[in-house]
Amino acid sequence: QVQLIESGGGSVQAGGSLRLSCVASGDNYGDYCLAWFRQAQGKKREHVAQSFPGRRGITDYADSVKGRFTISRDDAKSTVYLQMNSLEPEDTAMYYCAAHSGYCNDPVPRDFAYWGQGTQVTVSS
């Protein structure tokens, strides 16, 4: 069983930055696909970024955040981060950390067995 705890959300003006963190309990963290999703009020949960297990450092991003957001992981600390720069009001949402064992595939929420409780990000114009 893996427990995920997010932190780092808050309110920021457009153009600002935030860094989200997600700490995991459990073993074999390095073998997990780790991802960030977000859900704006009244909208479906959507993929933001995911980090593939292994040393190659493979990541992928939703088109809406490419060039602005960076996902990174520190397996020794069982932590995944989401650095968010050039934030826009459209980025306002609850952000969730998620994980599943094994290689990353198409980032569909139902494939992720473990979820954090979420952290709110609000971007004002």
Side-chain angles (χ1 to χ4, degrees), residues 11-29:
S11 297
V12 65
Q13 289 191 326
S17 299
L18 285 172
R19 187 173 86 151
L20 307 182
S21 300
C22 174
V23 179
S25 64
D27 296 329
N28 302 317
Y29 187 76

Side-chain angles (χ1 to χ4, degrees), residues 38-46 92-94 96 120:
R38 67 185 181 187
Q39 187 167 16
Q41 196 166 7
K43 295 188 176 181
K44 291 182 179 180
R45 190 166 298 190
E46 64 175 2
T92 295
M94 185 73 78
Y96 297 90
Q120 178 68 36

Side-chain angles (χ1 to χ4, degrees), residues 6-113:
E6 303 102 332
S7 62
S11 297
V12 65
Q13 289 191 326
S17 299
L18 285 172
R19 187 173 86 151
L20 307 182
S21 300
C22 174
V23 179
S25 64
D27 296 329
N28 302 317
Y29 187 76
D31 297 334
Y32 281 75
C33 174
L34 306 173
W36 289 94
F37 288 79
R38 67 185 181 187
Q39 187 167 16
Q41 196 166 7
K43 295 188 176 181
K44 291 182 179 180
R45 190 166 298 190
E46 64 175 2
H47 166 250
V48 175
Q50 63 181 355
S51 171
F52 288 57
R55 298 183 178 181
R56 295 174 64 189
I58 300 172
T59 57
D60 71 59
Y61 298 90
D63 288 343
S64 59
V65 306
K66 280 181 181 176
R68 299 188 299 123
F69 291 11
T70 302
I71 187 171
S72 61
R73 61 194 289 165
D74 185 337
D75 291 340
K77 295 182 178 180
S78 298
T79 303
V80 61
Y81 304 97
L82 185 68
Q83 178 66 45
M84 306 185 294
N85 298 328
S86 302
L87 283 161
E88 303 168 352
E90 294 74 22
D91 296 317
T92 295
M94 185 73 78
Y95 282 72
Y96 297 90
C97 174
H100 69 71
S101 60
Y103 209 63
C104 297
N105 298 302
D106 288 340
V108 177
R110 65 174 179 268
D111 289 342
F112 287 80

